[in-house]
Amino acid sequence: MPELPEVETVKRGLSSSLLGKRLVEVVVRTSKLRYDVPSTIHELVQRKLVNIRRRAKYLLLDFEGSMVMLSHLGMSGRYTIFSPDEVQRVFPHTTNGGQLSAFGTTTGYEGKHDHLEFKFEDGSVAVYTDPRRFGFIDVFTLDQEGEHPRLVQLGPEPFDDWDAKDFASKIHKSQRSIKLLLLEQSMVVGVGNIYACEALHRSGISPRTLGTTLVTQTGKPTKKLQILVHEVQDVLKEAIDSGGSTLNDFSNTDGSLGYFSHQFQVYGREDEPCLKQGCFGIIERIVQGQRSTFLCPRCQK
Ligand SMILES: [Zn+2]
């Protein structure tokens, strides 16, 4: 499932290939993803793509005339970008509007899950592929963005406007575990299960620790909480950086932009030895809020 670093990588990949280009055609092969693809998507045609932003795990594509396309990748959504040259050379018959996408030899599944194609005036094409169809698209105007139900309740971004002081003020009375608090989108957006586990492991904090115990009596963040906030930011930044290098490899081959595997220290490593130097603990898996948490009981207190 794409998490924040993957979405940021997709944002950068789409930006470097498509920014400033005019959209000339949208092919909708599947009108229902998680929700219906709005018919207003066709109003984006003949507009230039002027900016791409990320908010939590949402991509926001700004088109001329203050039109915004929101894209969420769900569980398995990804974009593949084809250069004008590739389209000419390999896929010369793509604009026939047939049932199946002609890009399937590259995007996989014989093109059965290529739900959307975005064609730009220079001939480049972005294909949206999503086998599980949990992703979704919405289109609205910039002045509607502030009230968009998906965006309005989001907490701060982990890098820009979030810090230990802010986090402490939200969790100082909380009897919930720190792992679940990190996943709460009103606390901080886009941390996700994998990176919450990784940041807690790096910080040496047990995922079962209650929020309130990480705040002093006067409401200030404890040293531990400060370290945790720092590690959350670091682990996300490192993943984005490694995504950046993966992205270069990708664009040399098939231009596929989606999710990729990282080297995790604790996530998915049940029964394996802890990788922290000097710690000889064994990684355990527990369930919190119906989701797996991986931890080292020896170095996470
Ligand atoms: Zn350990």
Side-chain angles (χ1 to χ4, degrees):
M1 175 162 162
E3 296 211 29
L4 184 147
E6 287 83 356
V7 179
E8 180 67 27
T9 301
V10 174
K11 184 196 100 173
R12 292 178 185 188
L14 291 174
S15 299
S16 69
S17 307
L18 301 175
L19 224 49
K21 295 181 182 175
R22 191 176 302 278
L23 186 67
V24 291
E25 191 186 354
V26 181
V27 176
V28 180
R29 293 186 190 278
T30 309
S31 58
K32 190 163 172 33
L33 300 174
R34 187 151 134 204
Y35 310 111
D36 287 334
V37 176
S39 57
T40 45
I41 196 166
H42 296 288
E43 289 177 26
L44 302 174
V45 172
Q46 293 309 329
R47 294 174 195 267
K48 233 182 231 178
L49 177 60
V50 291
N51 195 20
I52 306 181
R53 295 171 287 140
R54 180 192 57 73
R55 178 76 174 104
K57 296 205 290 185
Y58 299 99
L59 291 165
L60 297 162
L61 286 76
D62 289 308
F63 286 86
E64 268 179 338
S66 300
M67 294 285 288
V68 182
M69 185 183 99
L70 175 151
S71 172
H72 191 280
L73 303 174
M75 308 283 282
S76 58
R78 60 185 158 80
Y79 284 92
T80 309
I81 299 165
F82 296 88
S83 68
D85 177 55
E86 272 177 298
V87 174
Q88 282 254 313
R89 215 160 22 85
V90 192
F91 308 101
H93 307 297
T94 54
T95 51
N96 56 13
Q99 277 300 317
L100 283 184
S101 160
F103 296 99
T105 48
T106 299
T107 56
Y109 320 100
E110 299 165 340
K112 267 179 253 173
H113 300 295
D114 293 348
H115 306 304
L116 299 163
E117 288 167 27
F118 299 89
K119 300 177 183 186
F120 290 83
E121 67 182 335
D122 69 340
S124 50
V125 176
V127 178
Y128 179 72
T129 309
D130 189 352
R132 299 186 64 181
R133 298 189 200 183
F134 278 104
F136 57 93
I137 299 276
D138 201 4
V139 175
F140 42 84
T141 60
L142 195 58
D143 55 4
Q144 292 169 322
E145 186 178 309
E147 283 100 54
H148 194 281
R150 293 271 160 189
L151 304 173
V152 73
Q153 308 211 13
L154 294 174
E157 286 289 323
F159 306 119
D160 310 333
D161 42 6
W162 184 62
D163 57 27
K165 215 175 122 195
D166 173 79
F167 197 25
S169 73
K170 287 179 177 154
I171 68 171
H172 73 289
K173 284 185 181 153
S174 180
Q175 296 295 321
R176 298 178 66 205
S177 72
I178 187 64
K179 162 77 189 305
L180 293 179
L181 290 167
L182 279 176
L183 297 182
E184 191 67 59
Q185 298 296 293
S186 60
M187 299 285 164
V188 57
V189 298
V191 176
N193 198 35
I194 295 173
Y195 298 105
C197 292
E198 292 293 312
L200 285 163
H201 179 249
R202 286 184 181 202
S203 318
I205 298 172
S206 165
R208 296 187 180 96
T209 308
L210 301 182
T212 185
T213 63
L214 293 166
V215 183
T216 68
Q217 291 208 323
T218 54
K220 292 198 174 72
T222 59
K223 185 80 189 154
K224 269 189 154 184
L225 189 65
Q226 290 176 28
I227 291 169
L228 177 61
V229 166
H230 182 76
E231 293 293 0
V232 166
Q233 291 169 333
D234 262 19
V235 79
L236 290 172
K237 268 182 203 150
E238 285 169 27
I240 290 169
D241 289 346
S242 84
S245 52
T246 313
L247 179 61
N248 291 334
D249 300 340
F250 266 124
S251 45
N252 288 335
T253 54
D254 64 359
S256 213
L257 298 169
Y259 43 93
F260 36 85
S261 57
H262 304 292
Q263 282 302 102
F264 299 121
Q265 296 287 300
V266 65
Y267 186 84
R269 298 192 61 247
E270 187 179 11
D271 295 334
E272 290 179 45
C274 178
L275 294 174
K276 222 177 248 182
Q277 214 172 8
C279 177
F280 299 96
I282 300 292
I283 306 302
E284 280 180 7
R285 187 182 75 92
I286 59 170
V287 175
Q288 291 178 295
Q290 284 105 50
R291 305 185 72 182
S292 291
T293 299
F294 296 88
L295 71 144
C296 172
R298 189 154 177 158
C299 65
Q300 290 180 257
K301 300 290 179 193

